[in-house]
Amino acid sequence: MINEPASLDNTSDNIQTGARQTAEPIVSAKALRKRFGDFTAVDGISFEVPRGQCIGLLGPNGAGKTTTMRMLMGLSTVSDGELQVLGCDARKLSRAELARIGLVPQDDNLDPDLSVRMNLEVYGRYFGVDRATVRARVPELLEFMQLSDRADARVMQLSGGMRRRLIIARALVANPELVVLDEPTTGLDPQARVLIWKQLIALRKRGVTLLLTTHYMDEAQRLCDRIIVIDHGRILDSGTPDELIERHVKGHVFEVQKPFVDGFDESAWDCEDIGDSVLVYAEDAKAFVDTVPTDTQYLHRHANLEDVFLRLTGRALREV
């Protein structure tokens, strides 16, 4: 069970009150584009991030996810279209406005020469949080991220999971309303991933808005209220995980081995050939089982977000 610091709870009450007072999304993109010379990385996408929700931005490598997040943070200029963050033009975010956004980058960019505690204190001071507030918040954040016993350790003494938790703690130092997480659990073991999931769910419950990219579909399905699938800089579809599963793959997946036995009619079903076998997507599992010959070899499981991702973006390996 994760302890929730009192000051974090009080802040979240203020955020939730503000969310009730306005329906304005915390992020709004309209016909957003980013070009690098002749290459268009983000190609006219439009989306909104409502306050207090976790929105997943999913896509293969090179789809435009990180570029979109960099524009949102003011780290990359917008080529065309509109991008509003916290009601402000993303092109003109001040340091005070950026302090309302917490960033968890893909890369480990902690200062290895500083202790765990000092990494948090220096980051808070960078965004203009007064020294007394930073010193009060640091122990609370260390407890929240279960790093209290490592407060005086150097970063190089931490495991990979501890460093990721420290980066998340650092993103929360200035009490942000929005936290942007770019693949926050990549490379972590299952225990570390589950711990971070619990922490992110706790933040969302307290009204903090999360914008998440991840290559772990189980992570997206567990954490996200809504999913935006992007590829080649364009949005392919969006909706809740359940909506996307229903729209693209129905409720059940059967993997039918080749060669088929006589009597199996592939044309009667929504099928996808994946080489040595065929995936059959069915709403009614019993209807499929009742119609296939008894000698047919197959595996059966419930459909999930990974099926949606692969159907929308393809199965070809992306090298970027």
Side-chain angles (χ1 to χ4, degrees), residues 36 39 66 106 115 122 129 148 153 169 194 199 228 234 255 275:
F36 297 95
F39 174 68
T66 298
Q106 286 185 41
S115 68
V122 168
V129 183
S148 296
V194 168
Q199 295 158 337
I228 300 167
R234 298 180 180 180
E255 184 172 345

Side-chain angles (χ1 to χ4, degrees), residues 248-284:
H248 295 283
V249 293
K250 305 181 175 64
H252 300 269
V253 180
F254 293 86
E255 184 172 345
V256 184
Q257 300 299 311
K258 296 179 181 178
F260 304 132
V261 299
D262 292 338
F264 176 72
D265 183 6
E266 183 182 352
S267 64
W269 300 95
D270 180 7
C271 297
E272 182 180 359
D273 192 323
I274 59 171
D276 293 335
S277 59
V278 169
L279 297 181
V280 180
Y281 303 101
E283 188 64 48
D284 186 339

Side-chain angles (χ1 to χ4, degrees), residues 279-300:
L279 297 181
V280 180
Y281 303 101
E283 188 64 48
D284 186 339
K286 187 176 183 300
F288 174 79
V289 172
D290 288 347
T291 58
V292 297
T294 56
D295 292 337
T296 304
Q297 293 186 345
Y298 62 83
L299 299 174
H300 171 224

